[in-house]
Amino acid sequence: MKRFYALPYALSLLLIAATAGHAQTIAPAGKLTLPKAVDLALKNHPAVRAADAYSQAVKESISVAKAGRYPRVDFSEGFTRGNNPVYVFGSLLTQRQFTAQNFDLGLLNVPPPLNNFRTQFTATMPLYDSGKTQRQIRDARLDAAVAEQAAERTQQQVIFNVVTTYFDEMLARENVRVAESAVEMSAADLARAEARQQQGLTVPSDVLSAKVQQAQAKEDLIRARNGLAVAHAALNVAMGMAEDADHEIDPATGDVYAGVTSLPELQQRALAQRPDFLQMTLAEKKAASGVTASRAAFLPKVELFSAWEEDNQKFLTRGGNNWAAGVNVTFNMFNGGADR
């Protein structure tokens, strides 16, 4: 029985690059080698595609965070109609339509309904936000790095599953071959026992024993074939294909042995390369950034703002426009100690 060492080979196969493509549902052409099985898995497996898509989505959050450095411009268009005295008085002023007759006490107290179409542009620009935007950009980059490591970990797990199931199927095929040989041998033993019984050279119990051995060999063959069917389906699932897809293992795949490496060296390599460990390291950095962000809540925020609006009694007619600009400083004095 050949011995296979799957894990070291799985690590070496991490050098195989995953290329973008649609899921392949047909059987692979030719005999299925281990590198080909890994390549199919990296292209087809839904877990790999989902991890890659999530990683790409998280990377887009970097651009979202960078947008905080730039001005924000908003547009609004609204319509109001009413006869509230304060509303009518103020709207006539902003429309530049206030006249002397509007000072009439009757009109001031009971004005007729007035329409107001309000078109407004507003712009804001952060001048100082205590480093909030920069921290958001840094956190977004850390999130992207975490997602990238998660995608790498998913690829490693998929590759490892392919390697394991590939050699499981190879072993299952060998078990079937051995079981078939055992059935043939038991049939030959039974034939010899029956021939010796006919010649009077053996007792009936020897023939019965040979029949029992043959029945056991056939049962072992059934088990081996069922195991091969399960291993075949498991490899298809590991490759992201239909469970009953046809493929033929390449029998030329040889033994894979691990190189002699010391345990401390393997431990150091794991600390430097394992994606899940690197994820935790990045998460620690993000947590430290969160502490800094909490402390920044005690600092003021400075923002530049401006607005331009047009108010008209009719859409785009009979009205006036105005503008405003200034600087806004926000500093929390007390919030019940929540920030602390």
Side-chain angles (χ1 to χ4, degrees), residues 185-201:
M185 291 176 59
S186 64
D189 290 342
L190 177 59
R192 284 194 296 269
E194 290 175 342
R196 289 171 63 84
Q197 183 185 24
Q198 292 175 358
Q199 296 172 1
L201 299 177

Side-chain angles (χ1 to χ4, degrees), residues 321-340:
N321 62 79
N322 58 81
W323 60 270
V327 177
N328 188 37
V329 179
T330 304
F331 182 77
N332 174 254
M333 302 298 296
F334 179 73
N335 66 350
D339 292 335
R340 184 172 299 281

Side-chain angles (χ1 to χ4, degrees), residues 3-14 34 38 153 156-165 167-168 256-259 266 269-270 273-274:
R3 299 179 62 193
F4 302 102
Y5 296 85
L7 182 57
Y9 196 58
L11 296 177
S12 66
L13 286 172
L14 291 177
L34 184 54
V38 170
R153 176 60 176 170
Q156 288 186 359
Q157 189 62 51
V158 168
I159 291 174
F160 179 73
N161 291 338
V162 169
V163 172
T164 301
T165 53
F167 285 117
D168 285 346
V256 179
Y257 296 100
L266 291 175
R269 189 182 303 177
Q273 298 178 357
R274 278 190 62 119

Side-chain angles (χ1 to χ4, degrees), residues 9 13 31 45 49 51 101 125 142 157 175 212 218 239 241 264 280 282 285 322-323:
Y9 196 58
L13 286 172
K31 293 187 180 297
H45 203 286
R49 297 202 304 271
Q101 66 178 1
M125 176 69 182
L142 288 173
Q157 189 62 51
N175 289 336
V212 171
K218 289 181 178 179
M239 292 189 298
M241 302 174 63
M280 294 301 101
L282 293 169
K285 292 181 180 179
N322 58 81
W323 60 270

Side-chain angles (χ1 to χ4, degrees), residues 80-135:
T80 306
R81 177 177 174 82
N83 67 346
N84 180 284
V86 177
Y87 158 74
V88 173
F89 187 87
S91 296
L92 287 172
L93 287 175
T94 55
Q95 292 172 358
R96 304 290 197 269
Q97 300 297 315
F98 198 90
T99 61
Q101 66 178 1
N102 294 117
F103 283 110
D104 182 84
L105 292 180
L107 291 177
L108 285 175
N109 289 314
V110 187
L114 180 70
N115 295 337
N116 186 49
F117 291 87
R118 186 184 187 189
T119 304
Q120 185 179 50
F121 287 91
T122 60
T124 57
M125 176 69 182
L127 299 180
Y128 175 74
D129 61 359
S130 65
K132 177 181 178 182
T133 301
Q134 187 60 35
R135 284 190 300 274

Side-chain angles (χ1 to χ4, degrees), residues 60-338:
E60 296 299 330
S61 65
I62 299 177
S63 299
V64 176
K66 288 181 178 179
R69 294 173 171 172
Y70 302 101
R72 171 170 176 164
V73 180
D74 293 289
F75 166 79
S76 66
E77 178 70 38
F79 169 75
T80 306
R81 177 177 174 82
N83 67 346
N84 180 284
V86 177
Y87 158 74
V88 173
F89 187 87
S91 296
L92 287 172
L93 287 175
T94 55
Q95 292 172 358
R96 304 290 197 269
Q97 300 297 315
F98 198 90
T99 61
Q101 66 178 1
N102 294 117
F103 283 110
D104 182 84
L105 292 180
L107 291 177
L108 285 175
N109 289 314
V110 187
L114 180 70
N115 295 337
N116 186 49
F117 291 87
R118 186 184 187 189
T119 304
Q120 185 179 50
F121 287 91
T122 60
T124 57
M125 176 69 182
L127 299 180
Y128 175 74
D129 61 359
S130 65
K132 177 181 178 182
T133 301
Q134 187 60 35
R135 284 190 300 274
Q136 289 177 338
I137 296 173
R138 184 168 59 250
D139 288 347
R141 287 172 176 165
L142 288 173
D143 288 338
V146 169
E148 186 176 355
Q149 293 299 326
E152 180 68 20
R153 176 60 176 170
T154 300
Q155 289 188 11
Q156 288 186 359
Q157 189 62 51
V158 168
I159 291 174
F160 179 73
N161 291 338
V162 169
V163 172
T164 301
T165 53
Y166 186 93
F167 285 117
D168 285 346
E169 181 173 345
M170 183 176 289
L171 180 60
R173 290 184 182 277
E174 288 296 315
N175 289 336
V176 170
R177 184 182 64 80
V178 171
E180 290 174 344
S181 298
V183 170
E184 294 175 0
M185 291 176 59
S186 64
D189 290 342
L190 177 59
R192 284 194 296 269
E194 290 175 342
R196 289 171 63 84
Q197 183 185 24
Q198 292 175 358
Q199 296 172 1
L201 299 177
T202 187
V203 294
S205 60
D206 292 339
V207 176
L208 181 60
S209 177
K211 289 182 178 179
V212 171
Q213 291 179 358
Q214 186 183 43
Q216 183 63 49
K218 289 181 178 179
E219 181 181 344
D220 292 341
L221 177 58
I222 293 174
R223 269 201 201 91
R225 286 174 175 170
N226 287 340
L228 176 58
V230 172
H232 183 92
L235 178 56
N236 280 332
V237 171
M239 292 189 298
M241 302 174 63
E243 294 88 340
D244 57 351
D246 293 329
H247 68 254
E248 183 180 357
I249 292 290
D250 186 2
T253 303
D255 296 340
V256 179
Y257 296 100
V260 179
T261 308
S262 65
L263 179 59
E265 181 180 349
L266 291 175
Q267 291 172 338
Q268 292 300 319
R269 189 182 303 177
L271 293 177
Q273 298 178 357
R274 278 190 62 119
D276 49 352
F277 180 77
L278 296 178
Q279 279 182 270
M280 294 301 101
T281 303
L282 293 169
E284 183 180 10
K285 292 181 180 179
K286 186 175 180 181
S289 177
V291 174
T292 304
S294 297
R295 290 173 177 166
F298 294 101
L299 301 177
K301 298 175 178 59
V302 183
E303 184 179 65
L304 178 67
F305 68 89
S306 63
W308 176 90
E309 69 175 72
E310 188 176 54
D311 297 88
N312 301 291
Q313 291 185 15
K314 296 182 179 180
F315 188 65
L316 300 180
T317 60
R318 290 197 64 191
N321 62 79
N322 58 81
W323 60 270
V327 177
N328 188 37
V329 179
T330 304
F331 182 77
N332 174 254
M333 302 298 296
F334 179 73
N335 66 350

